[in-house]
Amino acid sequence: MKQFPFSLKFSIPAILLIFGTVLVGAIVQRETVQSFRRVEKDVSDNARFAGDRLSGMLEYLYRRGDVEQAEVAISKMRNDVNLRLSVLYDEKNRVLLATRYELRDRALQNTPAANRELTFTQVRETLSGQILLSEDKQKIWAIYPVPLKMMPGELRPSRIGTLWLEYDLSLLKQRALRDALQRSLSAAVGLGIFCIAIWFFFEKTLTRRAAKLVAASHNFAKGELSIRAKIGGSDELAQIAKAFNQMAKRIQADTETLQASEIALKQANETLENRVRERTASLKEQKEKLEQTLQELQQAQAQLVQQEKMSSLGQLVAGIAHEINNPVNFIHGNITHTIEYAEDLLKLIELYRYHCRKYVPEIESKIEEIDLDFLSQDLSKILTSMKVGTERIRNIVLSLRTFSRMDESEFKTVDLHAGIDSTLLILQHRFRGNNKLRAIEIVKEYGMLPLVDCFAGQLNQVFMNILANGIEALEESRINPETDSPQIRIRTSVIDKGWVEIAIADNGMGIPESVQPQIFNPFFTTKPIGKGTGMGLAIAYQIVTERHSGKLRCCSTPGKGTELIIQIQIGKKSSKIEPFKSSTRMAKSWDDKLN
């Protein structure tokens, strides 16, 4: 059974209060319903009596032709305080007489009895009255047939009118409600006295004694083992108190025995702890040495694996770029001539059509079959699209060659902007939007950089790792795809005349300050297991600082974004600053090399 959440001191009065409230509510509801039913019955009987009496009187007066007395009989109905309206309708449902003068000569649809036309018809057909209760039970209607004045030659009246009496129950029900509340109040007072008596009984026989037992239990739980519950009697609570006292006595004896054993055990533990402490210090020193050696081995292994992967990837990319370049150049070079030939042939066909206007059925049928006009317009568009596509492939091949740098594995002078652009082109599929993130905007703020002496392939690897981390930061930052615009900003500049600076920033959620000092440590990652190795930024840091004697630092503001800044020495060979080459000029220089 589920434990009761409140103490008996509060739960018993609460239960009695709830029980009394529910019972009083039920009594009030029952008295109110019975009072309302009595009111409805009394008014219904009064309406039936008044309807029988008034319909008979009106029938008598109309047979005598005494219309004035009939009007007087209707007007006397105003003396009944519960009767709101009395109306006499003719056989065509028009008002003949009414206690409200403004209703006379109105049709049934313009009176309060507008929705009772069917009931009027039934009353005339059966010549028997009906007593109806409204849907809101605030009105009672009495509807009775009244034979009107007979026409000359009739033995019995053929014209049957309808008497409508409307009684208001609202005032009567209000008085009945007050009477029901008064009767319920006396019952509630008696019930309250009964509940108070029950509460005093439980307070004396149960609640106070249970409180003593609970207090003794709490003190015993705090460590006062000599405490005992003093509850007299022979009921269940007294038996529980007796069992509690026996249990406390036994626990006190066992505790004293355990304390003596604990003192002896404590002395033995102190001797053993001293020996363990000495041994632990020795093992800890050996463990630290092993962990340092293992970390160095893991770092070296990861760097070798990464270096081998990049080397294999560079060879593969360079080989594919070389194999694709020749056929693409062949296709691209011939498309220009194909466009010229196609235009010449289409012009020749137009000349033939202009000068040879003789109708040849086979030729005209073929022209209609191939839709020559559409073919002439669409052919040049198709060839132009093919030319654009081959140019796109040539640019991708150029970027792959630039990124791999297999022909520049030594320390050489290169254009850093070309390496950044090639890396962006390779990662362009990740810049496109999806259902969680809008397309990432790449903002380039390139300065006037000189050619820099470096290991180009390794620097491209640094750009790749930093840009990939920025993309993943934007994907994990849950940017609103409808309002926010994810962005990566790349800024390059020359500082102190001997250094170049490349800054790559994103507008993601940033890096917490507690994590920032560790981001360049090997194997450190904040990503879930299986999504990150923790070596990307560590390898980038090693390439920049050790291989190029440069600097790599992180500037991040939580909630605003992260910026990684790379600084590399220009070198003696690059004292002359040259303007940045566009991608078109770079593509042209590579075409010259490949051809």
Side-chain angles (χ1 to χ4, degrees):
M1 183 176 180
K2 188 176 180 181
Q3 184 180 3
F4 197 73
F6 305 105
S7 64
L8 294 177
K9 184 176 181 180
F10 297 101
S11 58
I12 291 177
I15 292 172
L16 292 175
L17 180 61
I18 293 172
F19 170 74
T21 304
V22 172
L23 191 57
V24 169
I27 293 173
V28 171
Q29 183 179 8
R30 181 177 63 83
E31 290 293 334
T32 303
V33 171
Q34 290 180 355
S35 299
F36 285 174
R37 288 178 180 174
R38 284 195 296 269
V39 168
E40 292 171 0
K41 184 177 182 305
D42 292 344
V43 176
S44 297
D45 294 341
N46 186 23
R48 186 175 290 104
F49 174 76
D52 290 335
R53 184 174 62 82
L54 184 59
S55 62
M57 184 183 297
L58 291 175
E59 180 181 0
Y60 172 74
L61 294 174
Y62 268 102
R63 284 187 178 182
R64 290 180 54 186
D66 196 351
V67 179
E68 293 180 357
Q69 289 299 321
E71 186 173 356
V72 171
I74 288 290
S75 63
K76 286 183 178 181
M77 297 302 293
R78 297 177 181 173
N79 298 330
D80 192 343
V81 294
N82 297 321
L83 182 65
R84 176 180 292 181
L85 182 63
S86 177
V87 183
L88 177 64
Y89 296 87
D90 62 9
E91 75 281 2
K92 296 181 180 179
N93 290 335
R94 295 192 67 85
V95 178
L96 291 175
L97 301 173
T99 53
R100 288 166 51 186
Y101 186 79
E102 67 272 10
L103 295 178
R104 296 188 180 187
D105 294 330
R106 286 189 182 182
L108 176 64
Q109 290 76 13
N110 299 325
T111 64
N115 350 352
R116 296 297 171 181
E117 186 175 358
L118 181 60
T119 307
F120 279 28
T121 304
Q122 292 176 354
V123 167
R124 291 195 192 99
E125 292 176 353
T126 59
L127 294 179
S128 61
Q130 293 187 16
I131 304 298
L132 303 177
L133 180 64
S134 64
E135 294 181 357
D136 58 359
K137 296 186 179 182
Q138 297 297 319
K139 299 175 185 176
I140 286 181
W141 300 310
I143 306 174
Y144 278 82
V146 177
L148 301 178
K149 184 178 180 181
M150 292 187 297
M151 303 299 293
E154 290 183 341
L155 297 178
R156 55 186 303 178
S158 60
R159 300 167 56 222
I160 305 298
T162 307
L163 176 63
W164 165 274
L165 301 177
E166 180 178 292
Y167 287 85
D168 186 8
L169 302 180
S170 58
L171 295 177
L172 295 175
K173 286 192 173 182
Q174 290 178 4
R175 288 197 293 268
L177 179 60
R178 287 196 297 269
D179 295 340
L181 292 177
Q182 291 176 357
R183 290 193 299 273
S184 302
L185 181 60
S186 59
V189 171
L191 182 61
I193 295 173
F194 174 76
C195 290
I196 292 173
I198 293 293
W199 174 68
F200 273 117
F201 172 76
F202 277 110
E203 176 70 15
K204 184 176 180 181
T205 59
L206 179 63
T207 307
R208 293 180 182 177
R209 301 172 73 210
K212 291 181 180 180
L213 182 60
V214 170
S217 301
H218 286 169
N219 293 330
F220 188 81
K222 292 178 181 178
E224 300 178 10
L225 302 182
S226 60
I227 199 73
R228 298 293 182 269
K230 299 177 181 180
I231 298 177
S234 59
D235 57 359
E236 287 80 0
L237 280 177
Q239 294 176 8
I240 293 173
K242 184 178 179 181
F244 172 80
N245 293 334
Q246 293 176 355
M247 179 190 67
K249 185 177 180 181
R250 181 174 297 179
I251 291 176
Q252 184 179 8
D254 293 342
T255 301
E256 292 174 353
T257 304
L258 288 174
Q259 287 176 349
S261 302
E262 184 180 357
I263 294 173
L265 183 61
K266 185 177 180 181
Q267 294 176 353
N269 284 338
E270 288 178 355
T271 304
L272 182 60
E273 285 177 358
N274 292 332
R275 295 179 182 177
V276 171
R277 194 178 298 111
E278 294 174 359
R279 182 60 177 168
T280 302
S282 176
L283 292 175
K284 185 177 181 181
E285 184 178 357
Q286 296 178 7
K287 179 184 176 183
E288 290 177 353
K289 293 180 180 179
L290 290 175
E291 287 180 349
Q292 183 177 0
T293 304
L294 178 60
Q295 185 176 2
E296 292 175 356
L297 290 174
Q298 289 178 342
Q299 183 176 358
Q301 181 183 8
Q303 292 174 357
L304 289 174
V305 171
Q306 190 71 14
Q307 185 176 357
E308 186 64 25
K309 285 182 179 179
M310 292 304 296
S311 176
S312 300
L313 178 62
Q315 293 177 2
L316 178 63
V317 169
I320 293 174
H322 179 74
E323 293 298 328
I324 294 176
N325 187 64
N326 289 334
V328 168
N329 284 339
F330 172 77
I331 296 172
H332 183 73
N334 287 324
I335 282 180
T336 304
H337 302 296
T338 304
I339 294 174
E340 295 177 358
Y341 298 159
E343 291 178 351
D344 293 339
L345 289 175
L346 291 174
K347 291 178 181 179
L348 180 61
I349 291 173
E350 287 297 324
L351 288 174
Y352 268 107
R353 292 180 68 184
Y354 178 77
H355 292 287
C356 300
R357 298 186 178 181
K358 183 179 180 181
Y359 180 78
V360 179
E362 293 183 3
I363 296 175
E364 294 298 329
S365 175
K366 190 64 176 177
I367 289 174
E368 293 179 359
E369 179 182 351
I370 65 176
D371 196 354
L372 182 60
D373 294 334
F374 173 77
L375 187 147
S376 301
Q377 297 174 2
D378 197 48
L379 181 58
S380 60
K381 295 179 181 178
I382 292 173
L383 293 174
T384 303
S385 299
M386 293 172 64
K387 184 177 180 181
V388 172
T390 55
E391 289 179 353
R392 178 67 174 164
I393 294 173
R394 291 172 71 241
N395 290 335
I396 292 174
V397 171
L398 171 62
S399 298
L400 291 175
R401 290 291 301 274
T402 303
F403 181 78
S404 64
R405 294 286 184 180
M406 289 306 297
D407 55 342
E408 298 182 8
S409 59
E410 298 179 357
F411 202 73
K412 291 189 176 182
T413 303
V414 297
D415 184 357
L416 293 182
H417 288 162
I420 296 173
D421 289 339
S422 65
T423 307
L424 290 175
L425 185 61
I426 292 172
L427 290 174
Q428 65 179 345
H429 67 286
R430 299 191 62 183
F431 298 142
R432 299 168 185 166
N434 51 41
N435 56 350
K436 295 183 179 179
L437 186 70
R438 292 171 58 184
I440 299 175
E441 179 185 4
I442 304 298
V443 179
K444 299 179 183 178
E445 297 178 355
Y446 288 173
M448 302 293 290
L449 293 189
L451 300 179
V452 178
D453 295 335
C454 63
F455 293 98
Q458 294 183 9
L459 274 186
N460 289 343
Q461 182 183 355
V462 172
F463 299 149
M464 175 74 76
N465 292 345
I466 295 176
L467 287 170
N469 278 358
I471 295 170
E472 292 173 358
L474 291 174
E475 292 175 348
E476 295 174 0
S477 60
R478 300 181 180 178
I479 292 178
N480 189 340
E482 297 182 358
T483 59
D484 300 330
S485 177
Q487 185 183 91
I488 291 179
R489 185 178 299 273
I490 304 173
R491 174 177 53 82
T492 63
S493 60
V494 177
I495 58 174
D496 298 334
K497 297 183 180 180
W499 292 74
V500 295
E501 182 177 273
I502 304 100
I504 301 175
D506 63 72
N507 61 344
M509 294 302 295
I511 303 173
E513 294 181 359
S514 59
V515 176
Q516 292 182 20
Q518 307 178 58
I519 62 172
F520 297 123
N521 293 342
F523 306 107
F524 175 79
T525 179
T526 58
K527 300 174 185 176
I529 297 176
K531 287 193 175 181
T533 61
M535 290 301 298
L537 290 180
I539 292 174
Y541 185 80
Q542 183 186 20
I543 291 174
V544 173
T545 58
E546 296 182 10
R547 298 287 290 173
H548 294 85
S549 300
K551 302 175 184 177
L552 176 59
R553 57 190 176 91
C554 172
C555 299
S556 180
T557 303
K560 295 185 178 180
T562 303
E563 183 178 35
L564 289 169
I565 302 173
I566 305 168
Q567 294 179 354
I568 299 176
Q569 288 183 335
I570 295 174
K572 297 181 180 180
K573 297 182 180 180
S574 54
S575 58
K576 182 180 179 181
I577 298 178
E578 298 180 1
F580 168 65
K581 297 181 180 180
S582 63
S583 59
T584 305
R585 293 177 60 192
M586 291 300 297
K588 184 176 179 182
S589 65
W590 270 105
D591 288 343
D592 296 339
K593 291 182 180 180
L594 293 173
N595 292 330

